[in-house]
Amino acid sequence: MIRFIIIVILVVGFLILSIPILIAEWLIGKFNPKARDISSLRIVQFMFKVILFVAGTKITVIGEEHVPKDVPVLYVGNHRSYFDIVLTYARCPSLTGYVAKDSMLKIPLLSTWMKRLYCLFLNRTDIKEGLKTILQGIEQIKSGISMCIFPEGTRNRSEDETQLMPFKEGSLKMAEKTGCPIIPMSINNTASIFESHMPFVRPCHVILEYGEPIYPKELPKERKKFLGAHCREIIENTLRKNQALI
């Protein structure tokens, strides 16, 4: 329980104490938006790394060399834990916006930081609004900002973490329309940090593997038509392979 309490104090303390930082970042952005963006990215990444340290999480990363450093990408991953975001965002080499559920907009300061970091908020019940979010993501990728999405649409609570829910094909439109590479992310065992025994946070070993870039335009017609299913298959196979490493 002590780890959980410390993490809550860290998060709440950061959000409150970061108010002057947000003001300073706003001022910096008036003169140098790029410097503001990189500063915001590194501040949040540092905080996430502290949280992972307090949680006692041992991390094995595989295939990080597959992530291009010179072009925006679309990260696509499986999703079982709140810590999936903490783990993956802490390793983003460049500015990356995440697609989150729109209920996150109700959380003060946290939603402000998310907007500051180009996160988008998806309305799962309104198809028209959902399309607008995808179109926003397309524009952000075109402007050089990577995006990350969990195409299952919600956290997977299956007992077998290698059994993924269907990937929503519409979420892959950001790569189809921009031609950016898709980076599959296979995340093993993050539910063991918190969700498997709430409210306790316990040390565990997690594995994050980045797959080779997928370029939609280079895929055969059938694979391109069902791009979500193609990514899902790759991630499931990698999850099974990496279970032996936990």
Side-chain angles (χ1 to χ4, degrees):
M1 181 63 81
I2 187 67
R3 293 179 189 271
F4 174 76
I5 294 171
I6 293 173
I7 289 172
V8 170
I9 291 172
L10 281 171
V11 171
V12 174
F14 170 78
L15 290 175
I16 294 172
L17 295 175
S18 68
I19 294 174
I21 296 175
L22 284 168
I23 296 171
E25 296 282 62
W26 178 78
L27 290 172
I28 292 170
K30 291 290 184 181
F31 304 97
N32 193 335
K34 186 175 181 180
R36 174 203 61 197
D37 288 344
I38 296 301
S39 173
S40 296
L41 170 68
R42 301 308 178 204
I43 288 169
V44 174
Q45 285 184 321
F46 172 77
M47 191 64 203
F48 281 176
K49 288 174 182 177
V50 171
I51 289 171
L52 289 168
F53 174 78
V54 172
T57 307
K58 178 186 175 184
I59 306 165
T60 296
V61 181
I62 303 170
E64 202 160 20
E65 69 277 5
H66 293 148
V67 182
K69 304 297 189 294
D70 55 346
V71 295
V73 305
L74 176 64
Y75 296 98
V76 173
N78 60 300
H79 190 28
R80 289 183 63 83
S81 170
Y82 295 117
F83 278 85
D84 294 334
I85 294 94
V86 177
L87 171 67
T88 56
Y89 193 82
R91 307 199 70 87
C92 291
S94 58
L95 199 63
T96 303
Y98 278 55
V99 177
K101 54 187 178 182
D102 61 352
S103 59
M104 300 293 288
L105 282 167
K106 299 176 183 178
I107 306 176
L109 292 177
L110 176 59
S111 59
T112 304
W113 270 106
M114 292 176 73
K115 291 176 186 176
R116 175 80 287 287
L117 293 165
Y118 298 94
C119 291
L120 301 177
F121 301 90
L122 181 66
N123 185 327
R124 300 173 184 171
T125 59
D126 189 321
I127 295 176
K128 187 176 180 180
E129 289 301 313
L131 178 59
K132 286 182 181 179
T133 302
I134 298 300
L135 292 174
Q136 282 182 277
I138 290 170
E139 291 306 310
Q140 291 192 173
I141 290 174
K142 287 180 177 179
S143 68
I145 301 166
S146 293
M147 294 299 299
C148 178
I149 194 162
F150 299 105
E152 290 173 282
T154 187
R155 284 185 295 121
N156 186 344
R157 295 171 174 82
S158 169
E159 290 187 10
D160 182 357
E161 72 173 357
T162 67
Q163 295 296 314
L164 305 184
M165 295 184 289
F167 278 19
K168 299 183 185 303
E169 294 289 341
S171 61
L172 280 298
K173 292 294 182 185
M174 286 186 277
E176 291 181 51
K177 298 298 183 183
T178 61
C180 77
I182 297 170
I183 303 297
M185 298 189 302
S186 307
I187 312 167
N188 284 79
N189 207 37
T190 45
S192 294
I193 302 174
F194 179 58
E195 281 78 6
S196 295
H197 36 71
M198 292 191 290
F200 301 99
V201 172
R202 291 176 177 163
C204 70
H205 179 207
V206 302
I207 301 170
L208 168 62
E209 178 163 350
Y210 297 96
E212 294 185 10
I214 300 168
Y215 294 89
K217 293 180 180 178
E218 297 178 3
L219 293 174
K221 185 178 180 180
E222 195 61 26
R223 289 286 187 180
K224 190 186 300 183
K225 184 178 179 181
F226 299 104
L227 191 52
H230 177 57
C231 293
R232 179 177 180 267
E233 180 182 346
I234 291 172
I235 293 171
E236 278 191 333
N237 290 336
T238 308
L239 289 171
R240 293 190 190 100
K241 171 181 73 73
N242 288 340
Q243 275 195 319
L245 302 178
I246 296 173

